[in-house]
Amino acid sequence: MSPRRNRQRGGANPIDRTGGDRYGLETTEEWRGEDWVVRQVGGSGAAKHYRCPGCDQEIPPGMPHVVAWPQHGDVDDRRHWHKACWNARDRRSARLQRSRNAPRY
C-alpha cells in the first residue's frame, strides 16, 4: 500500500493577493462621496500604538482594528480605527476636543 497524498496533484498554487497572512482582505466602501479601501487587521498584525480618529483614543499593540484610506490617496492617508468607531463613523461628531496632555500621533 502506498502512502496517502495530502496535496493535490498538478496545478498552480493559489495566488495570495491579500498581502500575506498578516493582514485581512481589502474591501472598498463608499463614505462621504469617496471610495475608501478598508482592511481588517488582526491582533497579530497590530504591532504599534495608533490613535483612532473616531474616538481619539489609543489603539494598543495586539488589538484587532481597521485600517482605512482613500482609494486614490497616498500611504500617508491611512488611518487606523477601532472596528466599532469605523462602523459608527457617520454617527460620530467630527469635532473632537483633545485635552492639552494628549499625545499627537
Side-chain angles (χ1 to χ4, degrees):
M1 180 188 275
S2 63
R4 181 177 144 192
R5 290 184 187 260
N6 289 329
R7 285 181 256 131
Q8 295 177 350
R9 293 184 188 184
N13 291 336
I15 299 172
D16 183 14
R17 296 174 194 244
T18 63
D21 57 358
R22 182 174 174 181
Y23 303 113
L25 294 173
E26 291 180 1
T27 60
T28 304
E29 297 182 20
E30 186 178 344
W31 182 45
R32 293 185 178 169
E34 191 173 2
D35 287 334
W36 288 70
V37 179
V38 179
R39 180 186 294 164
Q40 302 285 332
V41 178
S44 63
K48 296 177 7 182
H49 289 274
Y50 300 103
R51 176 129 340 241
C52 175
C55 65
D56 202 35
Q57 298 295 314
E58 193 173 274
I59 301 173
M63 176 179 271
H65 61 277
V66 173
V67 180
W69 64 94
Q71 187 173 19
H72 301 292
D74 196 29
V75 175
D76 296 333
D77 296 333
R78 289 183 300 185
R79 296 293 174 256
H80 296 255
W81 297 68
H82 292 106
K83 288 182 183 181
C85 295
W86 176 255
N87 292 334
R89 65 192 177 274
D90 291 327
R91 297 187 305 265
R92 295 201 180 248
S93 168
R95 298 179 182 231
L96 293 173
Q97 297 291 322
R98 278 183 196 259
S99 68
R100 288 184 170 182
N101 299 333
R104 295 187 181 271
Y105 48 75

